[in-house]
Amino acid sequence: ATDRAPLRPDIVARLPPELHLEITRWPAHTTQTFSSCAMVCRAWYDHCVSIFYQRINVSDDTHFISLLVAAGVYDRVRLLLAATVEVSLRLGPGTLEGYGQSDESTLRPRELFPSLRKLTVHAYKVPKEGSLVWRSFRLVTDLTLKCDVPERRLCHVLCSLPQLRRLVFVYHEQFYHNDSQAQGPHSGAPPAEAKLHCLREVCIDVSNSAAQASITRAIVHSAQLDTIELLEARIGPQYLQASPLNHLLEQVGPSLAHFRERPSLYDNRES
């Protein structure tokens, strides 16, 4: 039997970059296969690592902090994060509140993720305005919130991200915490120049009536509504009448080109 020697490095180096990318892109959706692909040779490793950092899934707040700290220490990590376009972030209850406020020079979250466009936050409650999350992802244009979204906190967070173009809410919990009863839902309304002025798409995938009402009020008071072109919502039959979405639809005006009503979670319920 003839022994098979590995390809010489100079042969691999002569392959065009497009061919490397074509080979390394197809297993990107499978972490294990993608990791194996990165170990084939040094050229593939560089391509795989750059692709891997384009979309990051952070499993908890400890990993998120470790990532930021590594970016402050290693130039290679900071360079890779500069090309990240999408992040999925999971946070625990009350996590990251106030973290890094006194250590801004070390973390420098505002300098990270300059290319980020899409952010998904899985959390018990949406992080406060000014938290490490929003200081790190201040340039995001596509935001998905899968968490409890108290109205006042949501208003302040939205106004801190005026460049948002797409906003998605996903909340199907039975219980919802609202912070508007004690201080009033409209107190501290943002000035006109602080409102979202680029918002194009809004999706409200919420089965809790109180959460839906709170979200729509926050959007009305935080966004310039005449820019919205697509509105997608899930309406439950138990609160179909006098839906707060009616008020939102009235405020949007002629800019709305598409309205899609998503099927209720209760439509296929057995009788």
Side-chain angles (χ1 to χ4, degrees), residues 27-100:
H29 63 283
T30 306
T31 303
Q32 183 176 0
T33 307
F34 193 58
S35 300
S36 300
C37 189
M39 296 295 103
V40 171
C41 63
R42 184 177 296 275
W44 283 17
Y45 176 82
D46 293 336
H47 286 293
C48 288
V49 169
S50 61
I51 295 175
F52 183 79
Y53 271 84
Q54 289 180 5
R55 290 171 176 81
I56 299 177
N57 187 359
V58 183
S59 58
D60 56 47
D61 53 311
T62 303
H63 291 163
F64 178 54
I65 295 172
S66 300
L67 182 64
L68 297 186
V69 172
V73 176
Y74 302 105
D75 293 339
R76 171 67 170 169
V77 176
R78 186 163 56 252
L79 180 63
L80 291 169
L81 290 180
T84 301
V85 296
E86 181 178 345
V87 171
S88 178
L89 179 63
R90 292 185 178 273
L91 301 174
T95 187
L96 298 182
E97 298 295 350
Y99 187 92

Side-chain angles (χ1 to χ4, degrees), residues 2-23:
T2 303
D3 294 335
R4 295 183 178 180
L7 292 176
R8 297 196 310 271
D10 60 327
I11 296 179
V12 177
R14 288 204 302 267
L15 293 176
E18 294 79 5
L19 184 56
H20 286 292
L21 292 175
E22 186 67 25
I23 296 173

